[in-house]
Amino acid sequence: MRITVICENTVGRRIGLGEHGFSALIETDQGNYLFDTGSGHSVVKNSLELNKDLRTIKKIFLSHGHYDHTGGLPEVLKLRGKVDVHAHPHVFLDRVHVIEENEKETKRFVGLPYKRKYLESLGANFIFNKNFIEVEKGVFLTGEVPRKTSFEKPDPVLFAEIDGKINQDVFSDDQSLILDTNKGLILVLGCAHSGMINIINYVIHKTGKEKFYAILGGTHLDFLTPEQLEESVKALKKTKIEKIGVCHCTGMRAAFRLHQEFGDRFFYGSVGSILEI
Ligand SMILES: [Fe+2]
Ligand SMILES: [Fe+2]
């Protein structure tokens, strides 16, 4: 099995294009899967440069409805044609990022930038899940993750509209992918808006397994206070993790902190990074 980072904020192997977003291609004996699609600028270009054929993908999984994980859907669908796209029903919520700059409030749309009908016309067959499910043999999606830790809080600048009301985005749709391998679980995160530790604890609870061969993807750790980050690091150190390949919304501060803690077991999951077992 091989997981290759196709889209990410940074370029690591002098190959491809960096963009704000995340996408990973998972190649297995039973088929290839695409987890997220980046924001749309690099998914096709990078897959070609990395010698990956997106026409081979069996299923697409969406971690949540942010543009930087879903914006590449049309480009992938134009190549692939009819394909199952697994996501939580809230993936289509209208979402905004609100920032205050120079005492002025700026709102930016950050939701999935395309209508469901348009994506379906390109071949997307949406299959929605809210619960933990096995989508293929040994391949699981978490569905909604219960928020249990006290230190993982929702990002205060992200909002969503539900039934005409704009509220802080609680990201019910945030889900992660799990591959059950003979070396342990591989957990692939989109943005970990549910909280990385909440996700890990839920995966342990649902699978009954606690050994992670690898954790890869966006952790959103940079949006926590230094104290919250330390709580997360403390919890990670108690978890059996062989390799940790963070990237995207992890941020440099948190990535450096994890490198310090995990040493050789740490890698940065930039474009072209490969995890092989
Ligand atoms: Fe993201
Ligand atoms: Fe996100």
Side-chain angles (χ1 to χ4, degrees):
M1 179 190 296
R2 188 188 296 121
I3 305 181
T4 308
V5 176
I6 305 289
C7 305
E8 207 275 314
N9 304 32
T10 59
V11 173
R13 284 177 45 200
R14 285 180 249 168
I15 252 184
L17 189 73
E19 65 170 22
H20 180 70
F22 185 70
S23 174
L25 180 73
I26 299 131
E27 295 168 283
T28 76
D29 290 345
Q30 59 187 35
N32 301 337
Y33 312 103
L34 190 67
F35 179 80
D36 286 344
T37 64
S39 32
H41 310 285
S42 69
V43 67
V44 172
K45 181 183 164 53
N46 290 357
S47 64
L48 289 171
E49 287 195 32
L50 292 161
N51 246 331
K52 305 294 175 193
D53 188 350
L54 294 179
R55 291 172 303 185
T56 65
I57 54 177
K58 204 169 161 191
K59 282 175 185 291
I60 298 174
F61 306 120
L62 298 178
S63 66
H64 64 301
H66 269 155
Y67 76 100
D68 54 321
H69 299 255
T70 58
L73 268 174
E75 303 316 311
V76 176
L77 293 167
K78 281 177 208 165
L79 274 180
R80 176 63 184 87
K82 202 164 166 39
V83 67
D84 290 346
V85 182
H86 290 261
H88 184 283
H90 278 186
V91 78
F92 286 104
L93 286 190
D94 280 333
R95 306 194 126 106
V96 283
H97 177 202
V98 182
I99 43 164
E100 277 207 28
E101 268 176 336
N102 307 323
E103 292 171 27
K104 212 181 115 208
E105 196 180 77
T106 313
K107 280 197 186 97
R108 192 165 65 95
F109 180 81
V110 290
L112 201 165
Y114 303 98
K115 285 194 169 169
R116 180 175 170 180
K117 285 267 177 276
Y118 170 59
L119 298 170
E120 284 173 343
S121 77
L122 296 174
N125 177 38
F126 283 97
I127 299 173
F128 296 111
N129 71 295
K130 285 184 173 182
N131 299 322
F132 188 95
I133 49 160
E134 184 169 18
V135 267
E136 292 269 307
K137 195 171 174 293
V139 181
F140 304 84
L141 284 173
T142 59
E144 293 179 19
V145 174
R147 289 9 181 209
K148 296 241 170 120
T149 60
S150 56
F151 51 90
E152 294 174 303
K153 309 247 169 43
D155 191 327
V157 298
L158 298 174
F159 294 82
E161 186 178 317
I162 302 178
D163 299 329
K165 290 198 184 83
I166 293 190
N167 284 307
Q168 187 162 57
D169 200 338
V170 293
F171 292 102
S172 310
D173 56 330
D174 179 64
Q175 62 179 337
S176 306
L177 181 78
I178 302 128
L179 302 152
D180 190 5
T181 81
N182 52 15
K183 286 197 173 177
L185 302 172
I186 296 179
L187 173 62
V188 189
L189 307 164
C191 264
H193 288 294
S194 315
M196 187 184 191
I197 307 306
N198 281 330
I199 297 167
I200 289 171
N201 290 341
Y202 189 58
V203 169
I204 293 172
H205 168 71
K206 292 306 277 187
T207 60
K209 299 183 179 187
E210 50 183 35
K211 189 174 166 246
F212 290 84
Y213 174 65
I215 297 180
L216 174 74
T219 64
H220 225 69
L221 284 175
D222 206 28
F223 300 88
L224 301 174
T225 63
E227 295 73 32
Q228 289 167 345
L229 174 60
E230 284 315 306
E231 289 292 330
S232 298
V233 170
K234 215 193 289 172
L236 284 173
K237 279 172 69 184
K238 282 192 209 143
T239 313
K240 291 180 194 135
I241 306 169
E242 211 159 309
K243 288 174 192 285
I244 186 158
V246 299
C247 56
H248 182 45
C249 53
T250 299
M252 288 301 165
R253 179 182 63 126
F256 291 158
R257 184 69 189 89
L258 291 175
H259 188 202
Q260 192 180 35
E261 215 52 68
F262 285 87
D264 288 347
R265 289 145 67 209
F266 173 95
F267 65 97
Y268 195 85
S270 49
V271 171
S273 294
I274 295 169
L275 182 77
E276 227 165 2
I277 63 159

